[in-house]
Amino acid sequence: MGDATTRVRFKEPQIEMAHGAGGKASRRLVEGLLAPLLLRGGELGDAALLDFDGCALAITTDAFVVTPITFPGGCIGDLAIHGTVNDLAVSGARPEAIVVSLLLEAGLPTTVLEAQVRAMADAAARAGVRVVGGDTKVVEHGKVDQLYITTTGIGRRLPGVTLSARSVRPGDRVIVSGPIGDHGITILLARGGLDLESDLCSDTRSVFPMVETLLQAVGPDIRWMRDPTRGGVATALNELAIDSGLSVHLQEDAIPLRAAVRGACEILGLDPLHIANEGQFLVVVDASRAEEALSVLHGTSRGAEAAIIGEIRDAPAACVLVATPYGGTRIVDMLVGDPLPRIC
Amino acid sequence: MGDATTRVRFKEPQIEMAHGAGGKASRRLVEGLLAPLLLRGGELGDAALLDFDGCALAITTDAFVVTPITFPGGCIGDLAIHGTVNDLAVSGARPEAIVVSLLLEAGLPTTVLEAQVRAMADAAARAGVRVVGGDTKVVEHGKVDQLYITTTGIGRRLPGVTLSARSVRPGDRVIVSGPIGDHGITILLARGGLDLESDLCSDTRSVFPMVETLLQAVGPDIRWMRDPTRGGVATALNELAIDSGLSVHLQEDAIPLRAAVRGACEILGLDPLHIANEGQFLVVVDASRAEEALSVLHGTSRGAEAAIIGEIRDAPAACVLVATPYGGTRIVDMLVGDPLPRIC
């Protein structure tokens, strides 16, 4: 635990939106201040692994502050369930129970609250996870933007699965479960600042059914998984590259991407690799099982667009590269700044 | 789980501060809307009890929005650890691990964040609980009041202990661990609206050491425990009375109370029984073991002021009564309204 002598490397004078965006600034805050003091520098995964008398559990917590609170394909309520379920899933755990902390502003219409609570209940029922407890606090009007939800999930780790950046090896393949960027661009369009017509929807969903099917088929050869939410695929893979010391080489034309996401990103100068997803996950798998893993995902109910998008190499160290269809290669960094605040 | 047909009895048009105050309005919101939809009407304790392969755990979540964020005797950071540790303790569980969700406003000085994170780390170390993970979100300046913290704790239930309002019986004694109202009145004075001099401090602390000592000594004869936070002793005991169908008879002059708390309550027309505590707990114990339980508490490091304050009777049903030193008796209701918002 931190004590008065624990050194804090985070030197920025104040907290900015970017420190919550999941990219470089978030990592500086977590690695420079929060982890040294609170976690004693323990590994930062999507979920913490706990063992109680031989019972292997995982626990994860996430706050949801998305705006607007409803958007095509979802709302803050189902996002709050799916996000926590997915953090457990990509840690190799079956989501079992969730507790809910609600922060409400005074003056929030009951109809708004009820709709979000129903969405949470429905999402939990669909995901097969029980809500077992909660807490509600109310603050003055305006001191919360309608409502924020923190969900904490506990799951049981699936046997025979070891997921860690440290077990990733050169030659391993990278798979994504489906088209990227749908959630982030949907939120952007829902804010109405862009005059774009689209029938794009958030991809918010539980990925556990897909993860479970995959792990049952090729479990021991899956090295690492992550749901690329804030900061997108680029940030998740940069974290993998840093934590493993290896490099990730992507083929740009292999990455599934809807036309509406591509178009919005081109207009706005955003890289789809930086856009948040809420219903996709990344997998690193031994090369010899990659085609089999892909075929398994293609057989799941919403996995038809899963694709092998790249591979792990040993050089250059700690780096993510993308080969373009024109023969060039570019380095893709973690998200810098916060082009889309409050995306989840 | 809730579905479209689940009936919601909560008919108030919007959320008010009182719905977060822990009293009657909170209970209406929880019982009328949140529990039917999310919990399928399951029992509402301080912590949910979970069993994984015979491993008996407890899990609890709490959001902290106290203002001001620092006050005599504590701050939001240590409150966020102690509050969750105490919810586990009074559920008969040894606190083991905590995950932390931070909600920060953009512009928050890093010095403020660092001080609170250090306070959390120190409180966790003192309480013997590990922080194992977390999440950080940042919203625009003003959309959070400095910072809010949600902590979720997981603990291991102590063997041989069964705590439930339903096991309380007429004749059982009620014990409080020490003087009441210190936390709430400290926060009130820290807000500066009252011209009162006092060296009063918040009682924020982990009560687990006292609880553990008590349970080791008289565990099977302890029927029920609760930490009387929001809504105070009156609300906690009214919940016991409602849930058990019995009545709680208190002796007013037996309730430990500091002069500063008594004085502030008299000036403001508040009942000390409604004031929040953050380092006390209530115990219902079999009458035959009450003196022994009290003596055990007196032997703990901060338990010298523990007292037997009343007993359980079978009538009038579902009611809390206080006998005054002058021979009268008054009914004490749950907290109504929210005289001290954002107390924790």
Side-chain angles (χ1 to χ4, degrees), chain B residues 5-119:
Chain B
T5 64
T6 303
R7 193 166 144 263
V8 162
R9 296 188 311 274
F10 182 79
K11 295 298 179 199
E12 295 157 63
Q14 65 176 31
I15 301 303
E16 310 286 357
M17 295 298 285
H19 293 118
K24 271 201 166 167
S26 293
R27 196 162 165 123
R28 285 199 305 275
L29 174 62
V30 170
E31 293 191 341
L33 194 155
L34 301 175
L37 292 176
L38 284 176
L39 304 179
R40 298 196 253 191
E43 193 172 0
L44 300 166
D46 277 307
L49 307 183
L50 297 174
D51 280 285
F52 286 96
D53 306 330
C55 185
L57 303 178
I59 186 168
T60 183
T61 195
D62 246 324
F64 295 84
V65 299
V66 65
T67 181
I69 61 169
T70 64
F71 43 82
C75 60
I76 191 171
D78 48 35
L79 206 61
I81 297 294
H82 295 153
T84 285
V85 160
N86 291 349
D87 278 347
L88 291 172
V90 297
S91 300
R94 175 189 303 279
E96 300 262 358
I98 281 184
V99 289
V100 174
S101 159
L102 294 172
L103 276 172
L104 312 177
E105 69 169 350
L108 183 72
T110 299
T111 50
V112 171
L113 175 62
E114 183 179 335
Q116 294 309 320
V117 173
R118 282 190 188 275

Side-chain angles (χ1 to χ4, degrees), chain A residues 7-333:
Chain A
R7 196 167 141 262
V8 162
R9 296 187 312 276
F10 182 78
K11 294 300 179 198
E12 294 156 63
Q14 66 177 30
I15 301 303
E16 311 287 356
M17 296 297 285
H19 293 119
K24 270 199 165 168
S26 293
R27 196 163 166 122
R28 285 198 306 275
L29 174 63
V30 171
E31 293 191 340
L33 194 155
L34 301 176
L37 293 176
L38 284 175
L39 303 180
R40 297 196 255 192
E43 192 172 0
L44 301 166
D46 277 305
L49 307 183
L50 298 174
D51 280 284
F52 287 95
D53 306 331
C55 185
L57 303 178
I59 186 167
T60 184
T61 194
D62 246 322
F64 294 84
V65 298
V66 66
T67 181
I69 61 170
T70 64
F71 42 82
C75 61
I76 191 170
D78 49 35
L79 207 62
I81 297 294
H82 294 154
T84 285
V85 160
N86 291 349
D87 279 347
L88 292 171
V90 298
S91 301
R94 175 189 303 280
E96 300 262 359
I98 281 183
V99 289
V100 174
S101 159
L102 294 172
L103 276 172
L104 312 176
E105 67 170 350
L108 183 72
T110 299
T111 50
V112 171
L113 175 63
E114 183 180 335
Q116 294 309 320
V117 173
R118 283 191 188 273
M120 297 185 80
D122 293 346
R126 281 196 310 274
V129 65
R130 283 184 307 146
V131 177
V132 297
D135 178 57
T136 304
K137 294 290 190 314
V138 182
V139 297
E140 300 86 347
H141 186 73
K143 303 226 163 173
V144 148
D145 188 0
Q146 297 185 278
L147 77 165
Y148 305 146
I149 304 173
T150 292
T151 51
T152 304
I154 185 164
R156 201 190 295 256
R157 277 140 61 197
L158 299 171
V161 178
T162 307
L163 302 169
S164 166
R166 286 191 291 264
S167 54
V168 170
R169 292 181 268 177
D172 288 350
R173 296 295 192 270
V174 181
I175 295 176
V176 69
S177 59
I180 68 169
D182 290 9
H183 176 74
I185 298 301
T186 298
I187 298 296
L188 185 81
L189 297 178
R191 289 185 191 158
L194 259 185
D195 190 20
L196 280 180
E197 290 272 327
S198 155
D199 54 3
L200 199 64
C201 281
S202 169
D203 57 3
T204 181
R205 59 170 171 173
S206 163
V207 301
F208 181 71
M210 291 175 79
V211 165
E212 185 181 30
T213 304
L214 181 69
L215 290 176
Q216 281 168 349
V218 290
D221 291 304
I222 304 292
R223 313 259 196 249
W224 177 92
M225 289 193 294
R226 185 66 59 92
D227 57 331
T229 54
R230 288 181 292 174
V233 169
T235 299
L237 292 179
N238 266 282
E239 289 185 339
L240 169 62
I242 292 166
D243 295 344
S244 66
L246 301 172
S247 65
V248 182
H249 292 248
L250 301 178
Q251 286 292 331
E252 192 166 72
D253 54 7
I255 301 168
L257 192 64
R258 297 189 206 283
V261 174
R262 185 190 309 274
C265 284
E266 279 173 3
I267 290 169
L268 293 160
L270 297 171
D271 186 338
L273 290 167
H274 284 137
I275 307 298
N277 310 277
E278 291 291 339
Q280 305 302 341
F281 61 104
L282 295 161
V283 181
V284 173
V285 57
D286 187 281
S288 69
R289 308 292 297 277
E291 289 295 339
E292 186 183 348
L294 186 64
S295 153
V296 164
L297 287 175
H298 283 167
T300 60
S301 75
R302 289 173 67 189
E305 292 169 280
I308 298 174
I309 61 171
E311 66 174 51
I312 307 297
R313 296 187 193 161
D314 55 8
C319 184
V320 178
L321 298 165
V322 181
T324 68
Y326 317 108
T329 298
R330 61 189 172 95
I331 291 176
V332 179
D333 204 349

Side-chain angles (χ1 to χ4, degrees), chain B residues 145-177:
Chain B
D145 189 0
Q146 298 185 279
L147 78 165
Y148 304 147
I149 303 173
T150 292
T151 51
T152 304
I154 185 163
R156 200 189 297 255
R157 277 140 61 198
L158 299 170
V161 178
T162 307
L163 302 169
S164 166
R166 287 190 291 263
S167 55
V168 169
R169 293 181 269 178
D172 288 350
R173 296 296 192 271
V174 181
I175 295 177
V176 69
S177 59

